[in-house]
Amino acid sequence: MERYHKNTIIKCQSFALHCILKKQFEVSFLKIMLRFKKLILLKYQKQLLIDFFISDLLPLKDSGYQVTREFLLSVVEILIDFIKKSNDRSTKVVDFHQPDQLMQVFDFSIPEDPQNLDQLLVDCKDALKYQVKTVDSCPSHDLLCFFVAIHFILYSHIYKAHPHYFNQLSCGLDIVSLAGEWLTATANTNMFTYEIAPIFILMEHFILKKMREVIGFPNGDSILAPGGAISNMYAILVARHTMFPEYKCKGLKALPQMVLYTSEHSHYSVKGAGATCGFGTDNVIEVPCDVNGRMIPEELERLVKEAYAKGHRPFFVNCTCGTTVLGAFDPINPLADICEKYNMWLHIDAAWGGGCLLSPKHRNKLNGVERARSITWNPHKLMGSLLQCSTVHFRENVTF
Ligand SMILES: *Cc1c(COP(=O)(O)O)cnc(C)c1O
């Protein structure tokens, strides 16, 4: 058997060399090579793809299956190799490069001429390399989005998958989640209607329903968002629409001066939403925290009274469960009491702390969570899903 393989390899090798020299790349030859792929692929894949371009791939070329297969297998191999390397505990978790250094060693220009498929593989590998000094020639890039995606997702977080990499905001690489990401990229669909994505629509429905059950919202509604910052903004918009329905037709001028509250340790996105949604950042009031970084309920009440005295309308309180820097949990129940008393919308920003809802040991940090009217929860943080994966949940099913 071994001898048979050896002979075949030698034959294939000389045939390959012959073809390479003569630049005669035939799909039929590729098929032969593929049959002995495992043994010779690594050695010859480079040459195999050198004379092929995007136009040789499906669906641009009807007979492009073999080249497409070869190309994608090579990409997967590069990615798997990257996973192996980045799980090597002898390597550093972080080896930071400043942007100007990166720009010196990387060619970000877009070439005029099409690049062959092998060059794209080289680009993928280069994008995953940290020590770019070892690259002799500067790579060029034509499949822009492909490169950009791989570059920015993997390169800029090069050692994210390292076993020693663990952070409350994003964890190491979860292989199952990675498989899901590849699957969704391959399915390449959107979520317009049930007809276009039946499985994904139902999947979304049941996963979000389950998350609401975990929170303690038996009814309600949820939506996936581009990130926690946008989830917080969605919550603010829904709160305004629900509490001031006239806003929809009459606009902001029809409403009193509205005021939002958030702790001084909360995520900047709340202030950002204040600016974006037309409230003004001055009307997003930062409530002082105790030494552990938790919002002080008495301070909130004092500031609410102050706003009422000015004729303003306090309407939204953002309670952070898991502050971004200190990891503090604002006390939900006392804040919920104040919100009930003054008719304000209680939102919980549990972008990373939401993961604690799944922990029998730490769930109590979010006691009272079901009293909120909305909650931001990012599976891409404590739950380890791949970035980006953010959800926002509402206690009531809101329609406008
Ligand atoms: C990370 C974080 C956000 C923002 O989430 P993105 O997905 O990065 O937009 C908001 N709030 C808190 C408390 C966070 O930790």
Side-chain angles (χ1 to χ4, degrees), residues 169 227-229 232 267 269 320 322 324 349 351-352 378 380-381 388:
L169 301 184
N232 286 341
H267 194 263
S269 56
T320 312
T324 316
D349 179 2
W352 80 253
N378 283 4
H380 75 221
K381 289 191 171 170
Q388 288 284 99

Side-chain angles (χ1 to χ4, degrees), residues 5-269:
H5 269 156
K6 254 190 198 155
N7 282 341
T8 322
I9 295 164
I10 292 166
K11 271 187 207 154
C12 280
Q13 283 179 343
S14 53
F15 184 36
L17 284 171
H18 174 76
C19 290
I20 290 156
L21 287 172
K22 292 208 152 191
K23 292 263 178 205
Q24 288 173 344
F25 281 89
E26 302 271 338
V27 172
S28 56
F29 163 64
L30 194 62
K31 273 186 191 158
I32 300 172
M33 300 295 277
L34 281 168
R35 207 164 293 156
F36 302 98
K37 198 182 106 262
K38 281 225 165 105
L39 297 159
I40 51 177
L41 178 76
L42 286 176
K43 200 159 178 195
Y44 287 104
Q45 71 182 180
K46 223 181 151 69
Q47 287 91 331
L48 281 173
L49 291 168
I50 264 177
D51 278 3
F52 291 102
F53 293 83
I54 298 171
S55 50
D56 295 304
L57 296 173
L58 288 173
L60 295 176
K61 190 162 195 166
D62 283 348
S63 59
Y65 172 69
Q66 290 296 348
V67 181
T68 303
R69 185 172 187 275
E70 185 58 31
F71 177 65
L72 287 179
L73 284 174
S74 305
V75 173
V76 169
E77 223 150 291
I78 290 169
L79 299 181
I80 292 172
D81 189 49
F82 167 73
I83 292 170
K84 184 175 170 220
K85 279 191 195 131
S86 52
N87 273 280
D88 178 357
R89 284 167 198 258
S90 65
T91 59
K92 277 198 244 172
V93 175
V94 177
D95 190 1
F96 187 72
H97 281 202
Q98 292 290 352
D100 51 341
Q101 295 172 306
L102 269 186
M103 282 189 278
Q104 276 172 16
V105 286
F106 246 77
D107 180 7
F108 288 92
S109 65
I110 298 169
E112 292 290 323
D113 299 322
Q115 304 291 293
N116 64 56
L117 295 180
D118 180 65
Q119 185 58 49
L120 295 187
L121 294 178
V122 171
D123 290 350
C124 290
K125 277 186 219 154
D126 289 345
L128 294 172
K129 250 184 227 159
Y130 202 66
Q131 295 299 341
V132 275
K133 302 192 230 11
T134 60
V135 182
D136 295 337
S137 57
C138 278
S140 47
H141 318 281
D142 62 346
L143 243 184
L144 183 66
C145 58
F146 184 35
F147 167 72
V148 168
I150 293 197
H151 180 79
F152 285 109
I153 294 168
L154 295 178
Y155 181 73
S156 59
H157 297 91
I158 188 104
Y159 283 123
K160 208 170 152 279
H162 196 287
H164 293 166
Y165 182 94
F166 195 83
N167 178 288
Q168 82 277 27
L169 301 184
S170 51
C171 320
L173 182 68
D174 181 286
I175 299 296
V176 173
S177 189
L178 174 70
E181 194 77 18
W182 287 353
L183 186 147
T184 44
T186 310
N188 187 31
T189 186
N190 54 38
M191 306 283 278
F192 289 160
T193 59
Y194 178 79
E195 284 72 16
I196 197 116
I199 284 283
F200 295 133
I201 292 278
L202 289 179
M203 206 177 267
E204 178 189 35
H205 173 80
F206 285 110
I207 288 174
L208 294 177
K209 183 165 175 275
K210 179 71 190 176
M211 289 177 88
R212 286 197 303 278
E213 280 165 21
V214 170
I215 293 165
F217 292 169
N219 303 305
D221 204 355
S222 317
I223 191 169
L224 286 152
I230 302 292
S231 287
N232 286 341
M233 192 182 79
Y234 286 169
I236 291 171
L237 291 174
V238 170
R240 179 166 68 188
H241 268 79
T242 309
M243 295 174 68
F244 304 93
E246 64 274 28
Y247 169 77
K248 187 177 177 182
C249 302
K250 304 221 181 321
L252 210 48
K253 280 201 167 158
L255 307 184
Q257 178 56 63
M258 298 209 283
V259 183
L260 301 85
Y261 298 89
T262 192
S263 90
E264 56 187 356
H265 281 259
S266 67
H267 194 263
Y268 59 84
S269 56

Side-chain angles (χ1 to χ4, degrees), residues 214-215 329 352-367 377 382-383:
V214 170
I215 293 165
F329 284 70
W352 80 253
C356 294
L357 290 167
L358 298 167
S359 156
K361 192 169 162 196
H362 297 292
R363 192 185 157 100
N364 62 5
K365 292 187 169 55
L366 288 113
N367 274 350
W377 177 0
L382 218 50
M383 286 166 71

